[in-house]
């Protein structure tokens, strides 16, 4: 007998029929003799719809009220899924995040899990119930409702799996597993049988939505056995593990891209010690994460520097920078939106010189200029203008020998696209 966490994403429970199919699958897994904890996301487009609804009434709502609103989506799912399991002859009990002791810090909209006290959930399991838990949500020490960031239900699932020492955490989604790149963009992307935690972590951080980055972090640190598979088919998924076998001669495991990129350039900054510390310190104090930073050479004692950040943080960042103009004088700021970051990831890159050069050559052969570059031992990222993203991803996929010989199979039609 195993203890299994099964997580179902929004499109997997997007319609009553899909909900029934999921319920059936859960019951089957329980009847094989396993204890089952289910984590579920909001149905279909519910989270996006709630965000749209909020915008009609307040263009800048407080993060606290947004969390109060968005957590409703998952609560609908847990109740409906539990009822569906009951209607199919099973026994299920739904739990909100706070009911399963999901304690987070108090950062609304991107809270981090601090501790889990899963006793109630374990009691339900002992009584033979399927425990159906709302993903993406928790509560702070002060009893405020929080959310873990978009896509955060994956993190709920992995964190719960670690807390209850589950044998496996299965992430059921609308594709067959982790592919060499988003199979919706590259039709002959290839499904990977396995991938290392480190590579998956990079891909997730660099924009591959298939897993929430923090979920991968949790899995790595707690050695959670993690599998990504389709909720529509019984095909074997992708195993995410400490070390994954690399095919001979393949150095790049996958390609990710992030469309949510803005760039701010600050021109004419006094080139004195402490400038970067002041600017990025102020941004960090305001909860703004900065990604790639580039400083140009100094001319007449003045320097220019540029950095990328999430598009949604751009306006706030500009006002933070304006707010410290007394401390860090500069001539002007320029901000751009129409950018994307495309990245190649692979553990083999570190020992293979020329991998990054091939990326630059492939992109420039399409007549596209590269605005910014950032590299690490296992990835290389280029910021380019958004228009030709798909063309670039397809070209890189071929250049690094990732194309499948046959067309990739995508598990089922997504309702969200
Ligand atoms: P869920 O609602 O199940 O959490 P998501 O939309 O968050 O589903 O994640 C699944 C989607 O991730 C897929 O439909 C696919 O378009 C996208 N995706 C991006 N990169 C990859 C990749 N490398 N492998 C598989 N899917 C990917
Ligand atoms: N419903 C949330 C979202 O859409 C959480 C999740 O799906 O993982 O981001
Ligand atoms: Mg997701």
């Amino acid at each position: 007998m195993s203890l299994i966490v099964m997580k179902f994403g929004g499109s997997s429970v997007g319609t009553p029929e899909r909900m029934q199919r999921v319920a059936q699958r859960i019951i089957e897994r329980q009847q094989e003799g396993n204890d089952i904890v289910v984590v579920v996301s909001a149905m279909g487009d519910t989270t996006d719809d709630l965000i749209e609804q909020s915008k009609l009434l307040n263009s800048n709502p407080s993060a606290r009220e947004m969390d109060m609103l968005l957590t409703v989506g998952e609560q609908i799912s847990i109740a409906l899924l539990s009822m569906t399991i009951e209607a199919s002859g099973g026994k299920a009990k739904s739990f909100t995040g706070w009911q399963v002791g999901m304690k987070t810090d108090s950062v609304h909209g991107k809270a981090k899990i601090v501790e889990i006290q899963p006793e109630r959930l374990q009691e339900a399991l002992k009584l033979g119930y399927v425990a159906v838990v709302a993903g993406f949500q928790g509560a702070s020490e002060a009893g405020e409702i929080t959310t873990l960031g978009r896509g955060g239900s994956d993190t709920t699932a992995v964190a719960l799996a670690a807390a209850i020492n589950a044998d496996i955490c299965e992430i059921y989604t609308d594709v067959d597993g982790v592919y060499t790149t988003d199979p919706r963009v590259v039709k002959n992307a290839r499904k990977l049988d396995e991938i290392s935690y480190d590579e998956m972590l990079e891909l997730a951080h660099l924009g591959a939505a298939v897993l929430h980055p923090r979920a991968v972090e949790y899995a790595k640190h707690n050695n959670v056995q993690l599998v990504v598979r389709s909720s529509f088919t019984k095909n074997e998924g992708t195993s995410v593990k400490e070390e994954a076998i690399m095919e001979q001669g393949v150095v790049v495991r996958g390609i990710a891209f992030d469309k949510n990129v803005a760039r701010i350039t600050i021109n004419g900054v006094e080139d004195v010690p402490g400038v970067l510390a002041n600017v990025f310190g102020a941004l960090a104090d305001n909860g703004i994460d900065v990604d790639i930073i580039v400083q140009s050479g100094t001319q007449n004692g003045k320097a220019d520097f540029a950095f990328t950040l999430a598009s949604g943080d751009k306006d706030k960042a500009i006002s933070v920078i304006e707010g410290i103009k007394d401390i860090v004088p500069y001539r002007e700021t320029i901000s751009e939106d129409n950018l994307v970051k495309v990245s190649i990831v692979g553990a083999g890159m570190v020992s293979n010189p020329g991998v990054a050069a091939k990326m630059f050559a492939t992109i420039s052969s399409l007549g596209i200029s590269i605005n910014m570059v950032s590299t690490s031992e296992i990835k290389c990222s280029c910021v380019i203008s958004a228009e030709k993203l798909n063309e670039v991803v397809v070209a890189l996929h071929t250049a690094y020998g990732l194309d499948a010989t046959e067309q990739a199979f995508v598990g089922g039609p997504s309702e969200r696209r």
Side-chain angles (χ1 to χ4, degrees):
M1 189 175 100
S2 300
L3 175 54
I4 302 175
V5 175
M6 303 172 79
K7 179 260 169 179
F8 293 90
S11 53
S12 304
V13 291
T15 63
E17 295 71 35
R18 289 184 180 191
M19 193 72 99
Q20 279 164 336
R21 211 140 31 110
V22 163
Q24 212 51 56
R25 192 139 189 189
I26 293 166
I27 291 171
E28 274 168 30
R29 209 83 171 97
Q30 192 189 33
Q31 284 172 347
E32 290 164 6
N34 304 303
D35 280 341
I36 307 290
V37 174
V38 172
V39 172
V40 71
S41 298
M43 292 169 69
D45 286 331
T46 304
T47 309
D48 289 333
D49 292 346
L50 290 170
I51 292 171
E52 286 309 310
Q53 235 175 306
S54 74
K55 282 186 191 155
L56 297 176
L57 298 165
N58 184 340
S59 58
N60 187 22
S62 68
R64 179 187 188 275
E65 298 312 326
M66 277 314 283
D67 279 356
M68 190 64 87
L69 178 68
L70 297 189
T71 45
V72 171
E74 270 68 16
Q75 278 178 228
I76 294 171
S77 293
I78 53 170
L80 289 178
L81 182 57
S82 300
M83 288 175 200
T84 315
I85 294 172
E86 281 173 357
S88 313
K91 256 174 94 176
K93 209 173 223 183
S94 61
F95 295 94
T96 60
W98 39 102
Q99 284 178 319
V100 292
M102 185 69 65
K103 295 258 163 63
T104 71
D105 63 19
S106 55
V107 184
H108 287 292
K110 45 182 165 184
K112 292 209 172 83
I113 299 169
V114 177
E115 192 196 351
I116 302 177
Q117 294 166 337
E119 291 77 18
R120 274 189 82 174
L121 187 153
Q122 285 162 324
E123 266 166 46
L125 290 178
K126 252 187 236 150
L127 296 171
Y129 287 97
V130 171
V132 181
V133 180
F136 175 60
Q137 55 176 249
S140 69
E141 194 65 55
E144 294 287 349
I145 292 174
T146 55
T147 60
L148 308 179
R150 296 302 306 268
S153 296
D154 297 334
T155 300
T156 307
V158 180
L160 271 181
I164 61 175
N165 217 354
D167 295 289
I168 186 164
C169 179
E170 301 174 336
I171 306 286
Y172 290 84
T173 184
D174 57 3
V175 286
D176 264 356
V178 179
Y179 280 70
T180 45
T181 191
D182 189 336
R184 293 181 199 285
V185 170
V186 177
K187 289 297 162 227
N188 56 356
R190 199 152 39 85
K191 198 201 82 190
L192 299 166
D193 293 333
E194 50 185 54
I195 185 166
S196 70
Y197 290 129
D198 287 335
E199 289 168 319
M200 191 61 239
L201 193 55
E202 285 289 356
L203 285 174
H205 271 301
L206 295 168
V210 65
L211 279 177
H212 195 236
R214 220 159 321 124
V216 188
E217 256 165 51
Y218 256 101
K220 179 177 162 66
H221 289 133
N222 297 286
N223 224 350
V224 173
Q225 202 192 327
L226 186 60
V227 170
V228 179
R229 57 190 303 187
S230 167
S231 64
F232 304 109
T233 73
K234 296 247 164 134
N235 296 350
E236 262 187 47
T238 303
S239 194
V240 188
K241 55 212 295 204
E242 190 56 45
E243 285 200 13
I245 298 163
M246 198 69 156
E247 288 163 43
Q248 258 200 328
V250 179
V251 287
V252 171
R253 181 82 71 178
I255 300 170
F257 48 87
D258 186 352
K259 297 181 180 172
N260 177 28
V261 177
R263 175 165 69 167
I264 295 179
T265 308
I266 311 183
N267 288 327
V269 184
E270 200 78 27
D271 190 26
V272 292
V275 167
L276 290 181
N278 282 329
V279 172
F280 294 107
L283 291 170
D285 290 346
N286 283 277
I288 298 170
D289 290 330
V290 167
D291 186 17
I292 305 174
I293 304 172
V294 176
Q295 178 168 359
S296 66
T298 312
Q299 259 191 347
N300 308 325
K302 305 270 189 216
D304 303 333
F305 64 92
F307 59 92
T308 59
L309 72 175
S311 311
D313 285 337
K314 189 191 69 184
D315 294 341
K316 190 171 169 191
I318 295 277
S319 62
V320 168
I321 294 164
E322 280 166 1
I324 57 165
K325 199 164 184 180
D326 286 350
I327 310 164
V328 183
Y330 55 84
R331 192 174 70 249
E332 58 172 2
T333 56
I334 299 168
S335 63
E336 292 152 276
D337 250 336
N338 193 27
L339 296 170
V340 288
K341 182 171 72 174
V342 59
S343 308
I344 54 171
V345 171
M349 280 169 58
V350 61
S351 49
N352 280 277
V355 179
K358 188 181 215 169
M359 181 178 197
F360 307 148
T362 307
I363 296 176
S364 60
S365 72
L366 297 169
I368 297 164
S369 38
I370 298 168
N371 296 342
M372 291 169 114
V373 173
S374 140
T375 60
S376 79
E377 289 182 352
I378 69 162
K379 66 121 196 205
C380 180
S381 301
C382 294
V383 175
I384 57 171
S385 100
E387 290 86 38
K388 293 200 173 162
L389 171 66
N390 287 12
E391 210 183 311
V392 167
V393 178
V394 169
L396 290 172
H397 199 264
T398 304
Y400 288 106
L402 297 173
D403 289 349
T405 38
E406 287 170 41
Q407 269 223 329
F409 173 72
V410 177
S414 170
E415 256 153 36
R416 289 185 288 161
R417 275 160 274 259

